[in-house]
Amino acid sequence: MATPEVPKTCKVILADTIAKKLLAEVKDSLAKVQSESAAKPTLAAFLANDDPAAAQYAEWSKKTCEENGFDFDLRKVNKENLEEAIVAANQDDGVDGIIVYYPIWAGNQQQDRYIQETVALSKDVEGLCHTHLFNMYHNVRFLDPPANLKKSILPCTPLAIVKALEHLQIYNPILAYGNRLFGKTITVINRSEVNGRPLAALLANDGATVYSVDISGVQLFTRGSGIRQPRHQVLDKKDWGLKDVLPLSDVVIGGVPTDGFKVATDLIRDGAVCVNFSSYRNFDGPAVKEKASIYVPSIGKVTIAVLLRNLVRLIANRQVRQ
């Protein structure tokens, strides 16, 4: 009698699969907030660096926009003229949302941060201005409490990973909204101000125990015992490293922007979910498939779908009467 074939342990989920579902939701949402006679929503994208990854992202964004009923206006500008160009777009009624490709000034986050604040709140499709970031870190989900009619905008890549985890059913729909990661332990390997730190905050605010790891060490993001706190708190874990947190983690998220970094597969617990959002492969693909239950090798197309989702939300927010 033939031995029955053992099913493959790891399921590989591609970003395209997750993005298609989100884009269908975007089309439905756009139809609800915009009349058929209205012009296509326009996303103005500013490219002021020579990063090939940014140029590739812009190409993907253009293609996805045009396939889903949006106009994509790529504006290549000298970084010294960027502020003036953004101010003009802020004042242009024909522009519905603005995206800027970072970094602009290598090694000078302060100047990049200044540009993030230059984008108008009503057109900040990336959710990177102070009001949106304040709301995210303080677990405030609306711009207009107590009416709660205008939803705050969340940063695209962190939100794309949240949406991926929802698709993978890591979020528990039985639990109350805002608590659906309770009981999950997640490691995020990246603590940048644009991606890693916001992601750790989002996951912790949804109830997870999150270990945020970068070259300076490990920080614990959590809403406390029994997730009784209204928003996350941060605790330094002195002398901790990946060897301490990976064996504890249900989900491991890699976002290290270098080719030389690989997550040590032997430290990953059996059956963990592994997600890569770096433009480089942070996981050894063949090896991780022998250890993980689910592996998502990239997240880029989901990020673009979330970008359009945020753009529709900006349009909806502007229609709310004050």
Side-chain angles (χ1 to χ4, degrees), residues 9-314:
T9 306
C10 183
K11 181 77 171 178
V12 177
I13 305 294
L14 300 180
D16 193 51
T17 302
I18 305 168
K20 282 179 180 177
K21 181 180 176 182
L22 279 172
L23 289 170
E25 294 174 4
V26 166
K27 282 188 175 182
D28 289 344
S29 298
L30 181 60
K32 291 175 183 175
V33 302
Q34 194 171 52
S35 65
E36 291 184 8
S37 60
K40 290 181 181 180
T42 296
L43 176 64
F46 289 92
L47 184 61
N49 63 34
D50 298 321
D51 183 3
Q56 179 67 69
Y57 184 37
E59 282 299 313
W60 287 345
S61 299
K62 176 181 172 64
K63 182 174 183 291
T64 305
C65 279
E66 292 175 349
E67 288 175 349
N68 289 277
F70 298 82
D71 281 337
F72 182 82
D73 183 4
L74 180 62
R75 303 179 181 187
K76 297 181 180 180
V77 297
N78 185 290
K79 62 185 178 182
E80 302 303 332
N81 300 324
L82 180 58
E83 180 184 9
E84 183 179 343
I86 291 173
V87 170
N90 286 340
Q91 298 170 347
D92 184 352
D93 290 339
V95 172
D96 295 286
I98 295 170
I99 180 174
V100 181
Y101 297 105
Y102 299 98
I104 302 161
W105 283 273
N108 192 336
Q109 290 189 359
Q110 189 171 0
Q111 278 191 284
D112 280 5
R113 188 79 197 100
Y114 178 81
I115 291 297
Q116 289 169 16
E117 288 300 322
T118 304
V119 178
L121 177 68
S122 63
K123 298 189 179 185
D124 179 19
V125 77
E126 297 180 277
L128 293 177
C129 70
H130 178 264
T131 298
H132 290 313
L133 289 177
F134 177 92
N135 283 358
M136 178 195 65
Y137 282 120
H138 288 79
N139 206 13
V140 176
R141 306 201 177 207
F142 293 89
L143 292 170
D144 59 339
N148 292 345
L149 298 174
K150 295 183 177 182
K151 290 187 176 179
S152 198
I153 302 298
L154 296 172
C156 294
T157 297
L159 182 56
I161 296 167
V162 166
K163 290 299 175 186
L165 296 182
E166 287 180 349
H167 179 88
L168 301 176
Q169 300 180 8
I170 307 303
Y171 277 72
N172 186 346
I174 295 174
L175 299 179
Y177 179 74
N179 290 345
R180 291 179 175 174
L181 287 178
F182 184 40
K184 300 295 184 184
T185 298
I186 302 175
T187 289
V188 179
I189 312 171
N190 176 302
R191 199 157 60 239
S192 70
E193 295 300 325
V194 174
N195 292 320
R197 187 183 295 277
L199 176 59
L202 283 175
L203 298 175
N205 283 342
D206 280 340
T209 296
V210 182
Y211 293 106
S212 172
V213 184
D214 73 354
I215 57 173
S216 68
V218 177
Q219 290 183 333
L220 173 64
F221 286 59
T222 175
R223 280 171 49 201
S225 178
I227 57 171
R228 294 185 179 90
Q229 301 299 321
R231 67 182 183 94
H232 75 280
Q233 310 294 317
V234 180
L235 177 69
D236 286 318
K237 302 294 289 184
K238 188 177 180 181
D239 299 327
W240 279 44
L242 285 173
K243 62 178 176 41
D244 302 292
V245 300
L246 289 179
L248 305 175
S249 300
D250 304 295
V251 181
V252 180
I253 301 172
V256 179
T258 58
D259 191 30
F261 175 81
K262 288 286 187 291
V263 178
T265 307
D266 61 319
L267 294 176
I268 298 172
R269 61 183 290 183
D270 284 349
V273 172
C274 295
V275 179
N276 180 73
F277 75 86
S278 171
S279 54
Y280 299 93
R281 298 292 193 205
N282 281 183
F283 297 91
D284 180 340
V288 82
K289 291 174 191 176
E290 299 296 323
K291 204 77 178 285
S293 59
I294 300 173
Y295 174 45
V296 182
S298 68
I299 211 78
K301 290 185 178 180
V302 186
T303 301
I304 296 170
V306 165
L307 183 73
L308 297 186
R309 181 180 183 272
N310 281 355
L311 181 55
V312 173
R313 184 157 287 180
L314 289 177

